[in-house]
Amino acid sequence: MTDKLTLPKAGGALYEYVAGTKAPILAPQGAFNGRIAFSAAHVVCDPFAGTDPLNQPSIDWESTLSYRRHLWSMGLSVAEAMDTAQRGMGLNWIQAQELIKRSIDEAKAVGGKVASGAGTDHLAPGPNVTLEDVEAAYEEQCGYVEGCGGQIILMASRALAACAKTPDDYERVYGRILRQTKQPVILHWLGDMFDPALAGYWGSSDFNEAMETCLRVIRANADKVDGIKISLLDADKEIQMRRLLPDGVVMYTGDDFNYPELIRGDEQGYSHALLGIFDAIAPVAASALQALDRGDLAQYDALFEPTIALSRHIFQKPTYAYKTGIVFMAYLNGHQNHFRMIAGAEGSRSIVHLSELFVLADQAGLLQRPELAVERMKRVLALAGIE
């Protein structure tokens, strides 16, 4: 089925677009084994809650957990309560605790794999915050995740970035926390393009100096580190660090621009995945990873290649607004019956941006039910004055 839409361009010009000319790539059956692939999953807000959507957003738990079951059904793992779930950008620690507990329980019930973010977001950065305060905040959140029976993704800390004076301060805090964890954790190096408050993380704005500090932490605690996810949107930097990791510690790409080549790898190794974009392109991602298992690199490339333009569009500056595009994809594909986000984040992208997203998703075969996607796109266009 095809359908015609009137879409806007920047500046106000309109054009006609016929959707549904490419057959959708449906969710595959079975698992893949060659790579570990976490999808950082979004949360669905409750559009009927009468609470303040900015300061007391309410979560639609069934729809939120249903999406996780969708990801698990394709063999993907779930990275819970991360920035894709608007952690620290609408989702606070109190809500994150319930999300983590519910997701871990759900994973146990269906045999899914989940790892959950532990950070310090309940500790507001400020001039009186000390390293001891940061350590205590990390200990509280790590203790909660492991108390629920979950694996920790040790998230970067805004409070630590604000109060640390030297690289030694990072080594002290991370060393103390890692010595206390019960099982190996996934470290998370999130670049300032995702969160400006994390500029200069690991004690330096120079990548090589910051990387060396991070590697010292990993080498000193290698038995407590499963791997590290870096989200710097720079393939060369990721590969450089990947080749320096100690044996037994893996790289999880967080590069939403260059993931196909990083996951495929080279003669010296490859990256596993922990990606926000996998929330939006899950059927294609799972199919591509199955192709990689079969050694069918041509199919792997053919599946992933059309998603790159979509991902670069969703993650364009300001990068931290990418969550809007992720949730919009879930709405278009019928995984939720509304386009409302916690903290009103559905308004973080323009109608021109969303229209281009629609086209790129259609061309990548990512609109699972094109007729439904067209109907829903028309509703969003009408709200913007395009009938």
Side-chain angles (χ1 to χ4, degrees):
M1 175 182 177
T2 61
D3 207 343
K4 186 179 292 186
L5 286 165
T6 300
L7 298 176
K9 296 180 179 180
L14 301 176
Y15 69 101
E16 299 297 315
Y17 178 76
V18 177
T21 56
K22 179 173 180 177
I25 297 169
L26 302 179
Q29 300 298 313
F32 48 86
N33 302 303
R35 301 290 186 271
I36 302 166
F38 284 93
S39 169
H42 73 280
V43 297
V44 182
C45 82
D46 179 358
F48 303 114
T51 57
D52 173 1
L54 294 179
N55 300 303
Q56 293 181 306
S58 183
I59 294 173
D60 176 346
W61 290 111
E62 177 49 37
S63 296
T64 293
L65 294 173
S66 176
Y67 200 77
R68 282 139 183 79
R69 293 191 292 269
H70 169 66
L71 295 170
W72 286 318
S73 74
M74 291 176 280
L76 294 166
S77 302
V78 169
E80 191 55 275
M82 304 295 291
D83 45 304
T84 305
Q86 296 178 248
R87 183 74 177 273
M89 301 178 189
L91 185 81
N92 61 36
W93 171 233
I94 292 174
Q95 295 165 319
Q97 289 178 74
E98 185 172 2
L99 178 62
I100 289 166
K101 178 67 166 60
R102 285 175 179 260
S103 192
I104 290 173
D105 289 346
E106 195 74 16
K108 292 175 181 176
V110 302
K113 180 178 174 62
V114 61
S116 303
T120 67
D121 49 318
H122 62 297
L123 174 67
N128 297 319
V129 172
T130 65
L131 294 178
E132 289 81 4
D133 295 330
V134 173
E135 290 167 343
Y138 264 135
E139 288 167 351
E140 177 182 337
Q141 295 204 12
C142 289
Y144 181 82
V145 172
E146 292 199 324
C148 293
Q151 182 184 16
I152 293 167
I153 301 172
L154 199 60
M155 300 173 70
S157 165
R158 293 173 179 171
L160 179 57
C163 73
K165 305 300 183 187
T166 67
D168 290 344
D169 290 340
Y170 287 88
E171 293 185 61
R172 166 191 157 167
V173 170
Y174 276 86
R176 173 167 176 159
I177 300 307
L178 290 170
R179 285 191 294 272
Q180 297 179 58
T181 57
K182 297 176 183 177
Q183 63 174 308
V185 312
I186 300 172
L187 298 180
H188 188 194
W189 182 355
L190 189 68
D192 59 3
M193 68 288 293
F194 288 93
D195 187 344
L198 299 177
Y201 210 72
W202 302 110
S204 178
S205 58
D206 178 85
F207 168 72
N208 288 308
E209 292 178 3
M211 179 182 66
E212 281 305 316
T213 301
C214 183
L215 286 170
R216 285 197 299 273
V217 169
I218 293 171
R219 290 166 182 153
N221 304 276
D223 61 327
K224 291 295 187 75
V225 180
D226 166 359
I228 179 168
K229 171 197 173 177
I230 64 172
S231 301
L232 302 178
L233 302 183
D234 187 316
D236 291 338
K237 290 177 180 177
E238 179 174 320
I239 293 169
Q240 178 184 349
M241 187 172 185
R242 185 173 77 197
R243 293 175 177 170
L244 295 172
L245 292 174
D247 291 344
V249 177
V250 304
M251 175 64 73
Y252 291 95
T253 185
D255 189 332
D256 299 281
F257 286 1
N258 304 294
Y259 50 92
E261 64 180 275
L262 291 164
I263 295 168
R264 178 199 262 229
D266 55 30
E267 67 282 356
Q268 297 186 52
Y270 54 80
S271 297
H272 297 283
L274 200 164
L275 289 160
I277 192 58
F278 275 16
D279 182 294
I281 68 167
V284 170
S287 296
L289 292 170
Q290 287 187 3
L292 187 62
D293 277 359
R294 298 191 302 270
D296 190 344
L297 297 181
Q299 178 70 357
Y300 174 88
D301 291 339
L303 285 164
F304 265 145
E305 197 280 331
T307 72
I308 298 171
L310 172 66
S311 189
R312 287 176 175 261
H313 180 73
I314 288 175
F315 284 81
Q316 69 181 224
K317 294 181 180 180
T319 304
Y320 55 79
Y322 78 88
K323 278 79 72 174
T324 301
I326 297 293
V327 174
F328 190 56
M329 283 290 297
Y331 171 65
L332 291 176
N333 279 319
H335 293 290
Q336 52 196 77
N337 58 12
H338 60 87
F339 180 40
R340 300 284 293 175
M341 297 175 64
I342 62 173
E346 68 274 7
S348 296
R349 293 296 199 190
S350 70
I351 190 61
V352 173
H353 177 96
L354 296 177
S355 297
E356 186 174 347
L357 185 158
F358 178 92
V359 171
L360 291 169
D362 183 52
Q363 293 172 347
L366 282 163
L367 299 181
Q368 300 290 287
R369 295 159 59 191
E371 67 283 358
L372 175 65
V374 167
E375 176 189 337
R376 292 189 164 187
M377 187 70 220
K378 286 180 176 178
R379 295 177 192 170
V380 175
L381 290 164
L383 290 174
I386 304 170
E387 298 289 351

